[in-house]
Amino acid sequence: MREVFRVIFYLPHDHPDIALGVSHAIDSYMHAVGEGPRTISHAHINHSEGAPLTAARWGEVRRVLLNTRRRSYPDDFSDMAQWEIEKRGFERGILFTGGFGIRNGYELEYKARIPWRPAPEETLVSLLTATLPIEYLEEHGPARVRQLALDMASKLLFASGHAGLALRLYWWLPHTDNAFRFETLRYPGIDLREAWSHEEWMGFRVDGVHWLNFLGPPIVTQLGGVSALRSRLRSAETTVVELGEERVVVSLGERPEVGDLATGKTLPVYRELARVLEPWLEPLFLKPRWAPVEGPRYTSLLLTEDEARHWWRRFLD
C-alpha cells in the first residue's frame, strides 16, 4: 500500500459528451508528471494486459478517446462486444501506470459508463481518477498539485469530484494486522474510499469531504447557487471558487490535512462542509469481503461493519 494524493471526478455522461474534456485532463496530468520509467510508462486499453507507451500505443489511446461515434447499448454492438462490455462494467477504459508490477504511486484511469437503453433508474457515471505519490506533493508543494487538479477539472462536465490524501491499497491488508487498521482510522483526512468499489453508482451524490471539493449541477443549484453556498461556509480557511456553468471548487485550507482523532484534531473546517453537504452525501454501500475472521469484513482494510460506518460518518458524528 502507499499514501497518495488522489483526484477523482464523477461524470454523469456518455463518452461522446465528455471525450474532449477527458483528453484535456489526461494531457494536463501527463504534462505535470512526465512520461518515463519513474512515472507513467504503460497504458492498458479496456482489459488488455497493457503495453509500453510508444508512439504507436499513444495512437491507440487517442483513437479510443477520440472515437465519439454514438452507439446505443446493446442494440448496436455485436454479441461478443456486448458480453465484453458487460463483463468489464464500462463501455471503454484506459489505465496509465508505471508498468507491470510497478507501484510508484503514479496512475490515471478513465472508465466510460455503459450507454444503457432504456436508461437505468439510478444515474450512472463515467469515472476519471488519478494519483500522485505523496513525495510529489512534498517536493512540489500543495499549490502545484491544486493547480493540476484545477487544470484537469477545467473542461470536465463533472457532477462532483474531489482531491486530497488517500490510502492506495494494492491488496488486502493481512487480517492479523489489526494495529495498522486501527491506526488508519485515527486520521480523518486520509481517504479510504477507493476500496468501496461502487463508483459507477455515484450519480449526483457527493463522495465525502476532502481538501478540494468539486461540485457541479444539479448540486450547486439545489444548494441555492454559489452565493448561498458561500454564506453557509464561515471558516476563514475555506474558499469557494467558481469554475463556470454552476461548477465550483471548495478548498479547505492551503494544504491537505491529515488530522488525528487521538489528539483532538478533528478537522473542524471539513466538518463544517460535511454538515452543509450532508443531504447530498452518498449512502454507505457495504460490500462484504471474505476474510479468515469471524463476521463479514469490508474494504481492502478488512474493516468491521461498525468501523466502516463510523469512518464514513467521521465528519458528522
Side-chain angles (χ1 to χ4, degrees):
M1 64 186 69
R2 172 185 277 273
E3 190 180 352
V4 296
F5 182 87
R6 186 171 61 208
V7 185
I8 294 181
F9 297 102
Y10 302 105
L11 314 161
H13 301 279
D14 298 335
H15 176 74
D17 300 315
I18 56 178
L20 292 179
V22 169
S23 294
H24 172 80
I26 291 174
D27 289 342
S28 296
Y29 177 84
M30 293 302 300
H31 178 74
V33 307
E35 181 182 334
R38 295 183 180 274
T39 54
I40 297 293
S41 60
H42 278 60
H44 304 246
I45 298 175
N46 295 328
H47 270 171
S48 71
E49 293 184 355
L53 265 176
T54 60
R57 190 60 166 176
W58 267 116
E60 296 176 46
V61 168
R62 294 301 180 193
R63 283 192 290 275
V64 170
L65 288 173
L66 298 178
N67 176 10
T68 57
R69 181 164 63 92
R70 290 188 176 275
R71 302 175 109 172
S72 298
Y73 184 87
D75 308 71
D76 297 337
F77 289 89
S78 68
D79 290 343
M80 179 58 69
Q82 290 180 38
W83 180 82
E84 290 178 351
I85 289 170
E86 286 194 47
K87 181 180 179 181
R88 66 181 181 238
F90 48 90
E91 187 267 335
R92 72 186 73 192
I94 298 174
L95 171 65
F96 295 91
T97 71
F100 299 108
I102 302 300
R103 299 170 178 176
N104 60 14
Y106 292 97
E107 285 186 344
L108 185 147
E109 185 170 21
Y110 169 59
K111 295 192 291 188
R113 72 180 186 179
I114 298 174
W116 294 100
R117 187 171 63 186
E121 292 184 8
E122 286 279 347
T123 299
L124 303 181
V125 297
S126 300
L127 175 76
L128 180 67
T129 179
T131 62
L132 303 165
I134 202 66
E135 294 84 359
Y136 186 97
L137 171 64
E138 293 169 346
E139 178 182 353
H140 298 287
R144 182 160 172 176
V145 295
R146 182 182 188 275
Q147 189 57 52
L148 171 56
L150 292 175
D151 289 344
M152 293 179 68
S154 61
K155 297 184 179 181
L156 289 175
L157 299 177
F158 58 83
S160 66
H162 65 259
L165 303 176
L167 191 64
R168 173 72 169 98
L169 287 97
Y170 296 95
W171 194 245
W172 294 0
L173 184 73
H175 72 275
T176 56
D177 201 347
N178 292 323
F180 183 85
R181 188 173 77 250
F182 295 152
E183 191 74 4
T184 63
L185 297 174
R186 280 181 54 180
Y187 305 105
I190 298 179
D191 187 18
L192 309 180
R193 166 65 171 76
E194 186 174 62
W196 302 124
S197 299
H198 68 279
E199 59 274 352
E200 70 274 16
W201 298 101
M202 278 292 299
F204 300 116
R205 294 180 288 266
V206 177
D207 169 22
V209 170
H210 312 265
W211 176 45
L212 304 180
N213 304 271
F214 295 89
L215 305 173
I219 299 167
V220 174
T221 304
Q222 293 169 356
L223 281 163
V226 179
S227 296
L229 174 60
R230 278 200 185 98
S231 69
R232 298 178 64 182
L233 300 172
R234 300 190 174 99
S235 172
E237 300 174 56
T238 301
T239 60
V240 180
V241 176
E242 296 185 57
L243 302 178
E245 299 182 26
E246 287 295 296
R247 288 181 171 83
V248 303
V249 57
V250 182
S251 303
L252 305 181
E254 295 183 357
R255 61 184 306 113
E257 298 290 344
V258 174
D260 186 350
L261 299 180
T263 60
K265 297 178 181 178
T266 60
L267 302 182
V269 178
Y270 288 55
R271 296 175 68 85
E272 180 185 58
L273 180 59
R275 288 190 292 270
V276 171
L277 295 180
E278 184 172 7
W280 292 272
L281 295 179
E282 64 164 322
L284 174 59
F285 294 91
L286 288 176
K287 181 179 180 180
R289 285 187 179 274
W290 179 87
V293 292
E294 184 177 350
R297 292 298 179 102
Y298 304 90
T299 83
S300 296
L301 285 172
L302 298 186
L303 302 175
T304 67
E305 182 173 346
D306 285 345
E307 288 170 340
R309 292 187 183 281
H310 180 73
W311 180 84
W312 191 244
R313 292 188 56 84
R314 67 198 184 282
F315 293 130
L316 294 170
D317 295 334

